[in-house]
Each structure stands twice: as C-alpha cells, then as structure tokens.
Amino acid sequence: MATKPQNIIYGVNDKLSPIPLFFYGLQMASCSAGSLVMPVVIARAAGASNHVAISLVAVSMLAWAIGAIIQAYPKLGSGYLAIPNNSGTYLAPSILAAQSGGLALMAGMTLFGGLCHAALARILQHIRRWLPPEIGAVVLLLIGIQLGTMGLDEMFEQKGPDPIPGVTTEFIGALTLAIMLVCTLGFKKTLGRYCVLIGIAFGYVLTLFLSHPKDSLKLSLLTDAPWFGIPQFAISGYHFQAALIIPFFMAGLISAVKSTSLITAAQKANDANWRKPDMDNICKGNIADGVGCFISGLFGSMGQNISSSSVGVPVQTGVTCRSIAYSFAAIFGVLAFCPKFVTVFLAIPDSIIGAMLVFTGVTVFMSGQQMLSLKELTNRMSILVGLSFLLGLCFPLHPEYYAQLPHWVSKVTGSSYTIAALSGIFLNACFQLGARKKLQFSIHPSQEQFITIDKAIHDFIVANDIPREMIYNASLAVKSALISVMKENLVRDEVDIAVYFNGVELKVLISYHGNALTATPVTSMAQFADVNNSGSDLLHDIVDWHKTHYRRGKTRLTYGFEI
C-alpha cells in the first residue's frame, strides 16, 4: 500500500468536491490546449480546407478525453493522473505523411504508431540491447531541428503583401517566441505551465493592433463560427505507406520511453516509500497510452502521448487525484462540440504558428539532450550517436543524392530521422559483435578475498568501458552473497564467480557446491553500505533483478544490473 508523501495534499486515491474538481480539471485543460495548434499545422500541410481543420482539432479533443479516462482508470491504465495530448514526437512524421498522402495516410500511420507503442510496452526492457534509448534521443534531436527550421520558415517567409514589407510578420513571430521563452525560463512554476497559450494570446493581440490584412481575414473565421456543432471525421478511410513505417515506429518507441519515465515519476510522487518502478503498472500505462494514440488515429487525428505537464503540475500543486482526469475529459468532451472554441486555433496567424513550431522544436531537441545525459555514454555509444546524427543531417544538406537512389531504397530514406534511426540500429548491431565480455575467477569464501573481488571487478569494468557506478553495485552484490553463504556454512569448496556484460546489462553469477540459502543474502548488504536502509531496501535500490537456482547439489545466485 502506497504511503502519501507530505508534500501531496490530495493523493491519487483521494476525492475532491465538485467545484475544486472542476477548476483543477480546467487547469489541466489549459496546460494541454496549446498543443491543439498541431492538428492545424498538419491540416495546412495537407492542403485541407478550414472545415477539415476544425474537424481535426475537435476529434483530437475527443481522443484526449477518451485517452485520459483509459489512463486514469486503474483496471485499464496506470491509475495515475497522466493526461495525454498531441505529441511533438508525432508532429514531424505526421506532417510528412500529410504532405505525401493526405490526412488519410497520416491517420493510418498514426494507427500503426499506436499499435507499436502498445506492443512495445511488454518488451521494452528486453529489446534495449538492439534498440537502445540513445537511438531515440538522436531521432528527437533531428525532429527538433526539422520542426525548428519549419517554424523559422513560417515566421520569416513572405507569403503576400504586408503593410510594412518584411517587418510585420517577422516582428510578431519573434516577439511571440520571446514571450514563450520568457514564461518558460523566468516563471517556470507559474506562467511557464501556460507559455504556449500566453504566447498565442499575445500574438493575437499584436495581430489585431497591427491589422495585418491576411491574418485579419483568418480572425474573421472566429466571429463567423457557431457556438454548437457536432464534430465530424475529417477522413473517409485509412492509408498506409511502407516509407513511413520507420518514422512512425520510432515515434511509437520514443513515446513508450517517455511514458515509462512519466509514469515512473507519477509512482514516485505518490508514494513516500517508493524504491523502484512498478513495471507491471508501467506496462498497463504504456498500453493505455498506445490505445489512446490508436483511438486518435481512428478518429483521423495525429498521435498523442502522456503530457509532461500533466504529471509535473499536479506534483507542484500537491493535488494528484486521478478524478481530475475525468474532469479534464468532461471539459474537453464538451468543448469539442463548440466550433467557436475550436476555430480559435484555426485562426492563428502564420507567424504565431511559426513561433509555436520553433518552441516545440526546441522542446523536442532538449528532450533528446536529456535522454543522452541520463547516463554516462560509452565510447561505442558516443560513436553511434555522433555518426547516426551526422548521417541524418546529410538528407536536408544533399537531397539530390537521395533523389537518385533506387525506388526501394528511397522508401526507407524519406526523412533525416528515418536515416538516423536506421543508421543507429545498423551501427548498434555491428557494435554488438564481440560486445559480450566475460570475467571468471574462483575464490575460497573469506573476507580476506574481498580485496581480490573488488580489484577483479574494477579492472573488468574499466577495461570494457562500463559505467563506473557498476563497480560498487557488482562488488556489493558478490560480497553480500559470500557473507550469507559463510554464515550458513554452506560451501564445500571454492566459489565460482562470473561477470557478463552484453552492452546493456551487467550480470553477476555466483555458483558453489552446497545447499541453497535459507534466507536471502540481502540482509548482509547493509554491512557494506553507509546508509540507514535495511539490506532488503539496498538490494532493491541497486539490483534490477535477482534469482536463486538450486539443482543437484549446486546453487547459483544471479544478479542483473541494467546499464
């Protein structure tokens, strides 16, 4: 049973009265509303009409509402307040799909991305060797660059006569972007939650004062829109294209990694005694998130993913009740039937759209940087990241080279992040050849041998470019097991110790002839740790998994450490 932390006023299982529940739901809705601009960008890329763009925004809101309910309901999702919204990870692939095959292709590939996300939920930990998160980080870096350059084109490209040629639209876009950045950097815990909305509102006001003719025409759409209307699907079918499989698969993979980290953060925020992620709960949350993305594609909209603000803002306010997700769903479910509200996002001027794309690109790029900084990169992984990133950059720099490639090759080289992903997967597979390293030695169990154990593991880890924190963890696991074996006087002769490393996981095997331990060896770990935790807590902190096997008079203890 989780213990509610002191900084949480209303925990995940607590109930709120109707009025506070409504306002907390409204707060979450306002945090997410900024990403409703993305369907408008996709509709423009597809050359769709204003009516289709309005429908696309409305069905996105309905998909969010359904996704929020599925995620918050404990029997279907994680049971935490983890609300989805339109994902920047899906934006660039969706634009590519809309430009090459229209909204039907975008919707069909979003279905594929949602299925990939849900399918990866159960195997994510098992495929890290072949799809390390660093490849996803490189893809995020390139998506961020692409979105940023698209936004700069929108901000500075002249598409018609201006009252002040070359100045007005640039000025509006640059100032809108500046407002977003100031809110994010200077007021992170207050205005930063609504930085996109504040920037858009500020840009609207500037547009009205400067009376830009093209943008004023767009604003007239808002006054003409009715207050009530039933959302309609913007597509009549679903299309698929082999060339887009890699971009949308990588979007699903990155979304699964992001959801895993956010659900882990939600678990930690709601349990004062949290020690380690609950993988079963994370799996349910990922499946729910993937199903939400699939529903979004089914409705004809772009991919969705758990919003970072939907986890971070409740922790800052101390209110993490899952019932807020139901309030959020009710609010957006109602607003989806209000075309006047939906048209607010359709009427956004091009310069403000450009500022939003630049801001989103910066955010996605930063996410890629953060993924790379989570752990120390080995030499092999540094080469993989650098080389796949540079190969991805070759696409926009030399498009004529890729244009002359055979048709079957061009199907999987249609974007910079596709090339980077394929390059990263290929390089990683090559690096796996000979990557499995092994250390074996035998000792007589005694505390005098602990120095030998420390030195052997230290030399093995340093020689094979393994993160240095594994030295302490692996040595601690071996010594604690030996202490327990010696206490119970189980060993008949020498103890065999083997350490394996396959690039993503360090595995320690301790084998001896004798009976299995009657008690877990973790209790002796506290002898070597300068902490106040119990030995069981310590093992839970440093070992990702462990097991004991006894057969025909021989016992084997196995400890696994994920790198």
Side-chain angles (χ1 to χ4, degrees):
M1 186 68 179
T3 303
K4 185 168 68 176
Q6 292 184 353
N7 64 311
I8 299 298
I9 304 170
Y10 294 100
V12 65
N13 296 312
D14 294 336
K15 305 296 183 183
L16 290 171
S17 57
I19 294 178
L21 182 63
F22 170 77
F23 281 105
Y24 280 119
L26 189 62
Q27 175 180 255
M28 299 310 300
S30 62
C31 289
S32 300
S35 67
L36 286 173
V37 182
M38 296 183 190
V40 177
V41 176
I42 294 170
R44 292 181 181 180
S49 65
N50 290 335
H51 176 73
V52 170
I54 291 174
S55 299
L56 202 59
V57 175
V59 296
S60 293
M61 295 165 67
L62 289 177
W64 291 6
I66 296 172
I69 293 172
I70 294 174
Q71 187 65 255
Y73 191 58
K75 292 184 178 180
L76 297 177
S78 66
Y80 290 103
L81 179 58
I83 293 169
N85 64 10
N86 291 328
S87 172
T89 305
Y90 277 98
L91 181 56
S94 297
I95 291 174
L96 183 63
Q99 289 174 336
S100 59
L103 296 179
L105 179 59
M106 184 270 294
M109 298 311 300
T110 300
L111 292 175
F112 173 76
L115 288 175
C116 289
H117 185 166
L120 288 168
R122 289 198 176 275
I123 63 172
L124 198 59
Q125 295 298 316
H126 304 290
I127 62 173
R128 286 182 67 245
R129 182 178 180 183
W130 306 105
L131 284 173
E134 287 80 3
I135 295 177
V138 172
V139 171
L140 283 178
L141 293 176
L142 290 168
I143 287 177
I145 291 173
Q146 181 176 348
L147 292 177
T149 52
M150 288 171 58
L152 291 173
D153 287 342
E154 289 286 338
M155 287 172 61
F156 296 107
E157 183 180 353
Q158 292 298 305
K159 300 179 180 179
D162 291 335
I164 309 175
V167 175
T168 304
T169 56
E170 298 172 10
F171 176 73
I172 294 174
L175 204 53
T176 299
L177 177 61
I179 291 296
M180 293 179 184
L181 294 174
V182 167
C183 291
T184 301
L185 299 175
F187 307 93
K188 184 176 181 180
K189 293 185 177 181
T190 52
L191 299 179
R193 304 170 188 172
Y194 317 104
C195 55
V196 174
L197 280 178
I198 292 172
I200 290 173
F202 186 84
Y204 260 120
V205 173
L206 274 181
T207 301
L208 289 172
F209 274 111
L210 293 173
S211 300
H212 190 281
K214 174 165 60 67
D215 291 334
S216 297
L217 181 62
K218 289 183 179 179
L219 292 175
S220 67
L221 296 172
L222 182 60
T223 57
D224 297 337
W227 284 100
F228 178 80
I230 297 176
Q232 297 179 355
F233 288 170
I235 59 172
S236 57
Y238 308 94
H239 297 163
F240 300 89
Q241 192 175 100
L244 296 173
I245 287 177
I246 295 296
F248 279 86
F249 173 79
M250 292 306 300
L253 174 64
I254 293 168
S255 296
V257 172
K258 178 185 175 185
S259 297
T260 298
S261 63
L262 289 176
I263 296 171
T264 300
Q267 292 176 358
K268 185 176 182 180
N270 285 280
D271 187 0
N273 298 322
W274 184 88
R275 293 291 178 186
K276 196 174 181 181
D278 180 350
M279 295 309 299
D280 289 337
N281 180 263
I282 289 174
C283 180
K284 287 176 62 179
N286 260 314
I287 291 175
D289 204 24
V291 169
C293 182
F294 183 87
I295 291 173
S296 187
L298 204 61
F299 285 3
S301 187
M302 66 175 293
Q304 64 181 34
N305 191 208
I306 295 175
S307 164
S308 301
S309 62
S310 72
V311 176
V313 171
V315 174
Q316 293 173 1
T317 59
V319 182
T320 60
C321 309
R322 71 168 62 93
S323 56
I324 295 174
Y326 306 138
S327 173
F328 167 91
I331 290 170
F332 264 136
V334 171
L335 289 177
F337 290 84
C338 179
K340 191 172 286 291
F341 173 81
V342 174
T343 308
V344 168
F345 299 94
L346 178 65
I348 295 175
D350 292 341
S351 56
I352 303 176
I353 289 283
M356 186 277 300
L357 284 173
V358 172
F359 184 81
T360 303
V362 171
T363 304
V364 172
F365 189 90
M366 288 172 57
S367 298
Q369 286 183 311
Q370 290 168 0
M371 286 181 68
L372 290 176
S373 64
L374 287 177
K375 64 180 183 180
E376 180 184 349
L377 292 180
T378 63
N379 290 334
R380 291 189 180 194
M381 199 55 68
S382 297
I383 293 173
L384 182 149
V385 168
L387 192 53
S388 59
F389 181 78
L390 289 174
L391 289 173
L393 285 180
C394 285
F395 180 80
L397 294 176
H398 302 285
E400 69 283 351
Y401 171 79
Y402 293 95
Q404 63 184 6
L405 293 175
H407 180 68
W408 66 272
V409 177
S410 63
K411 281 185 172 293
V412 290
T413 57
S415 65
S416 59
Y417 41 89
T418 302
I419 296 169
L422 290 174
S423 302
I425 293 170
F426 175 75
L427 288 170
N428 183 65
C430 293
F431 290 162
Q432 291 300 320
L433 299 175
R436 183 177 173 85
K437 304 297 182 181
K438 181 179 180 180
L439 167 69
Q440 280 186 310
F441 60 97
S442 300
I443 62 169
H444 290 284
S446 64
Q447 294 199 21
E448 289 75 16
Q449 296 290 335
F450 286 174
I451 296 177
T452 303
I453 294 171
D454 287 339
K455 185 178 186 308
I457 293 177
H458 174 274
D459 292 346
F460 175 77
I461 286 176
V462 171
N464 291 288
D465 198 24
I466 304 171
R468 301 298 178 89
E469 65 267 20
M470 291 295 104
I471 297 174
Y472 171 81
N473 295 346
S475 296
L476 185 59
V478 173
K479 290 184 289 189
S480 66
L482 292 179
I483 284 288
S484 298
V485 168
M486 288 188 294
K487 280 185 175 180
E488 298 189 28
N489 196 25
L490 300 174
V491 183
R492 301 172 188 169
D493 45 29
E494 289 186 331
V495 174
D496 298 323
I497 299 173
V499 183
Y500 299 91
F501 179 64
N502 63 6
V504 297
E505 183 181 60
L506 187 73
K507 187 188 297 184
V508 177
L509 280 73
I510 304 163
S511 305
Y512 62 89
H513 289 282
N515 295 327
L517 294 170
T518 57
T520 176
V522 297
T523 53
S524 58
M525 280 193 172
Q527 298 181 29
F528 302 100
D530 186 21
V531 293
N532 294 322
N533 295 349
S534 68
S536 179
D537 289 341
L538 185 60
L539 180 69
H540 205 258
D541 287 342
I542 69 168
V543 177
D544 292 293
W545 58 269
H546 64 96
K547 61 184 179 180
T548 302
H549 177 75
Y550 175 79
R551 185 181 181 185
R552 296 179 181 177
K554 189 170 184 178
T555 299
R556 184 174 64 194
L557 306 174
T558 308
Y559 298 93
F561 306 87
E562 293 181 359
I563 306 302

